[in-house]
Amino acid sequence: MGRRGVVPTSPGGSIRVGEVLTVGYRVDRKAVLVLEDMDGAEVEVVIGVPMLALKEWYDTDTREQEWATFLRWAQPAWNLEDADGPIPADAAAHDRLPPPVSKALMVGWRDAVVNPPAPLPPPSSDGTP
């Protein structure tokens, strides 16, 4: 048992009785997009974005504006490359990516924002489901 007025937590840690412990839900979640017919592509994006992000998305008139909105809010990181090497996740990538790939990235992000994936259950301690 810990000392009076102190609740033991983890080794070396404790919470004092009456102390306010702030534990919030992180809304700036990230996800890895699984893109059809792009085996091996790893695209991590922020999906916990404010409603303003979707408003900006739907207010765009051109593919370039959509791309800029995607970059601003999704903050993508990826392992995509072409014959010239790795493609940085920036505005210039729009000129290097084939149109179906850039469209898949943007639509995949938007879909994940609107319908976020359920979190995976924690792994079992003995390795069985």
Side-chain angles (χ1 to χ4, degrees), residues 6 15 35 43 71 86 89 110 118:
V6 176
I15 301 171
L35 303 170
V43 182
L71 290 176
R110 187 203 57 214

Side-chain angles (χ1 to χ4, degrees), residues 63 67 70 94 97-107:
R63 185 61 57 107
W67 186 252
F70 166 72
H94 192 255
L97 291 170
V101 174
S102 63
K103 181 178 179 182
L105 293 171
M106 292 186 289
V107 171

Side-chain angles (χ1 to χ4, degrees), residues 5 10 13 20 47 50 55-58 60 67 83-84 87 90 101 105 124-125:
S10 59
V20 177
I47 61 170
K55 180 183 180 324
E56 284 183 15
W57 174 271
Y58 292 118
T60 60
W67 186 252
D84 295 327
I87 301 172
D90 60 16
V101 174
L105 293 171
S124 66
S125 59

Side-chain angles (χ1 to χ4, degrees), residues 14 29 57 60-62 75:
S14 62
R29 291 180 51 199
W57 174 271
T60 60
D61 295 322
T62 66
Q75 302 172 19

Side-chain angles (χ1 to χ4, degrees), residues 6-59:
V6 176
V7 178
T9 55
S10 59
S14 62
I15 301 171
R16 298 198 181 284
V17 173
E19 186 176 325
V20 177
L21 175 64
T22 304
V23 179
Y25 176 77
R26 294 293 305 253
V27 295
D28 58 344
R29 291 180 51 199
K30 291 185 177 185
V32 175
L33 299 180
V34 176
L35 303 170
E36 192 173 324
D37 298 326
M38 288 198 257
D39 294 339
E42 293 181 17
V43 182
E44 184 180 73
V45 292
V46 173
I47 61 170
V49 296
M51 290 298 294
L52 177 62
L54 291 175
K55 180 183 180 324
E56 284 183 15
W57 174 271
Y58 292 118
D59 287 346

Side-chain angles (χ1 to χ4, degrees), residues 62-94:
T62 66
R63 185 61 57 107
E64 288 76 20
Q65 290 172 340
E66 285 181 353
W67 186 252
T69 302
F70 166 72
L71 290 176
R72 175 180 173 187
W73 293 106
Q75 302 172 19
W78 61 52
N79 67 344
L80 305 177
E81 55 185 65
D82 61 12
D84 295 327
I87 301 172
D90 60 16
H94 192 255

